[in-house]
Every structure is written in C-alpha cells, then in structure tokens.
Amino acid sequence: MATLYIVGTPIGNLEDITLRALRVLKEADLIFAEDTRVTKKLLAHFEIGTQVARTHTRDEKRAAAEIISALESGKNVALVSDAGTPGISDPGAMLVQKVREYFQSDKVQPFSRFKVEPLKIECVPGPSALTAALSISGVPAHDFVFLGFLPHKKGRETLFKEITASKRTVVFYESPHRILKTLESLSKHAPEKQLAICRELTKVHEEVKSGSATELLEFFKNNPEKVRGEFVVIVSA
Ligand code: SAM
C-alpha cells in the first residue's frame, strides 16, 4: 500500500523536527515540496538524500495529479511545506482533499477501481506557528478561532469589527508589511483590546509583546527594527 505522509517541519529552529519526520523523509521514495530550495536546505542539514519534486501549489489539480501518479506507481510520498504543518495556511492546502477524493471516488477510475491499491494517508505531526504562538502567549487557548491570513482588501475592516467583538480568542497570521495597518485597525475598533504579538518564533529574534492594541501600535511604530520577520497575532476574547 502506497502511503502519503503529511510531514511537519521546523518553523525556524531546525532542531524542531521529530525523529519520525527524519525517518519518513529519509525512507520516502519522493518528497513533494512547496519550494524545493527550502526543503533541500533542510534535507542537506540532516544529510538526507531523498529526491525532491516541486508541488505546483498554484495549480492544485496538477499538483494532485502528480502526487496521485507517484502513489499509483507504488511510491511512498512525503508532502512538506516551507515551514510548519502542511495545509495550515499554506499554498496547496486543498491537495490532501483532492488526493483523498481521487482514491475514494469510483467515478474517477470506473474500470480499474478494484485494481487500485488502497491509499494510506498518515500524519507526521510537527510544529506550527499557530500552536507555538498560543503556547507562549499566556492567552487562554482552550477555545479559539484561527483565521489564517486575513483578506488584504475586501471585507478586511468588517472582519476587524468581528474580531474585536469576538467572545473567543482570535488568532491570525500577519506579514511585516501589514502588521502596522492591522494594529491601526484593531486599535481603531477596540483600543483597549488585549493582544499578544508573537514574532520570529523559535528563531534568534523570537519575541512576544503583550498589551492593548494602542500600546502595541505605539511600540511597533517606535521600534521599526521590530517590524520584521514573521508574525502571529492573538486577540484575547
Ligand atoms: N504552515 C505554517 C504553520 O504550520 O504554521 C504556516 C505557513 S504560512 C504560509 C506562513 C505564516 O505563518 C507567516 O507569514 C507567519 O504569519 C506565520 N509563521 C510562520 N513561521 C513563523 C514563526 N517562526 N514565527 C511567527 N510566525 C510564523
């Protein structure tokens, strides 16, 4: 039975990879990666020589077809993203769904359905910026909503209204280009709202800043050198 492994990889610190992930990446016949250069660096660090192919994340149909074809030829395949857990706000998030649908569908393979070996999809859990941020933020995480990346334009302000009115903790990913704008919007809708801004987790400049929306807006405005890197924003209920 061919297996598709969904493998979590580090979000910064390369030591954050599991023993199982290393074994699976080593033993797989083929690794599908979001960006082969990023994955090859990771593999080189751990002296893993498995072949790496690019996942065509902009064309999920094609990407799914390539993975399906590898699985059908009996290859064990590992899927990784650039960082963290594949499918969590990554391009190609729908890939697993498409692969699953294909192997479950009797319409796709009307003649060879019974010859197709069943597929196994296994998770190889690892880090995610979402859980890393919640774990370090000090914000209660028994009940939260995750929004991934917020839309750039349409519906953005309405969403901020909803986020600041939410009865649940809200978590989302943000880029350094938008973090100030985001803080402006949050402090416009709810200046006293308590936030945790988690930056560069597991990396040299890892930092968590907590405070009200207005305080954090001031902080990042006054410290432009900190408006860099990768961010997770946590808005307390
Ligand atoms: N799949 C990844 C995961 O499991 O976390 C997320 C991929 S998403 C394309 C990338 C975004 O995740 C970044 O823009 C940032 O918001 C967040 N992120 C990733 N690594 C991070 C880190 N080390 N520190 C803070 N945020 C991070």
Side-chain angles (χ1 to χ4, degrees):
M1 186 191 301
T3 303
L4 172 62
Y5 297 94
I6 312 300
V7 184
T9 57
I11 57 168
N13 190 325
L14 293 188
E15 288 182 12
D16 295 333
I17 189 155
T18 67
L19 295 175
R20 184 161 169 242
L22 289 175
R23 182 181 57 73
V24 165
L25 292 174
K26 203 172 186 175
E27 290 176 1
D29 297 303
L30 184 58
I31 299 171
F32 276 97
E34 188 181 340
D35 182 334
T36 54
R37 288 164 303 182
V38 174
T39 299
K40 278 180 181 168
K41 265 191 208 158
L42 177 76
L43 297 181
H45 182 83
F46 291 106
E47 298 178 354
I48 294 173
T50 309
Q51 191 192 343
V52 184
R54 184 175 151 231
T55 319
H56 290 93
T57 46
R58 284 173 195 277
D59 183 351
E60 295 198 14
K61 243 183 166 179
R62 176 173 172 188
E66 285 170 355
I67 292 177
I68 288 163
S69 145
L71 290 164
E72 281 190 327
S73 67
K75 287 185 174 149
N76 288 318
V77 172
L79 178 69
V80 296
S81 59
D82 284 353
T85 300
I88 307 296
S89 291
D90 281 324
M94 307 305 284
L95 265 178
V96 176
Q97 184 190 356
K98 287 195 185 332
V99 174
R100 230 177 238 295
E101 273 170 10
Y102 177 86
F103 280 92
Q104 279 167 5
S105 164
D106 50 353
K107 284 184 210 120
V108 182
Q109 301 244 334
F111 305 113
S112 61
R113 175 155 94 96
F114 298 106
K115 287 187 205 137
V116 173
E117 288 286 310
L119 165 80
K120 219 171 146 200
I121 302 182
E122 280 188 21
C123 61
V124 184
S128 174
L130 165 65
T131 48
L134 281 168
S135 74
I136 201 178
S137 67
V139 177
H142 49 83
D143 185 11
F144 67 89
V145 177
F146 175 56
L147 299 180
F149 287 103
L150 304 186
H152 293 177
K153 289 195 180 119
K154 207 164 171 257
R156 199 170 154 89
E157 283 310 308
T158 316
L159 201 49
F160 281 123
K161 260 191 213 162
E162 288 172 17
I163 289 170
T164 49
S166 173
K167 290 192 170 60
R168 293 192 168 94
T169 294
V170 179
V171 188
F172 58 93
Y173 288 163
E174 194 49 282
S175 78
H177 314 292
R178 284 198 185 76
I179 189 75
L180 284 178
K181 280 198 159 182
T182 292
L183 288 170
E184 273 164 17
S185 298
L186 288 169
S187 59
K188 185 176 95 186
H189 292 292
E192 299 305 321
K193 197 77 181 162
Q194 292 301 301
L195 314 178
I197 307 291
C198 308
R199 188 171 83 88
E200 292 289 88
L201 298 172
T202 78
K203 302 185 200 175
V204 179
H205 298 292
E206 172 175 308
E207 187 172 33
V208 176
K209 287 302 290 179
S210 306
S212 72
T214 314
E215 285 165 350
L216 292 183
L217 175 60
E218 279 310 300
F219 175 82
F220 282 101
K221 268 190 182 163
N222 294 333
N223 295 278
E225 76 283 2
K226 304 221 173 211
V227 187
R228 283 198 196 132
E230 299 191 282
F231 291 85
V232 181
V233 179
I234 302 182
V235 183
S236 295

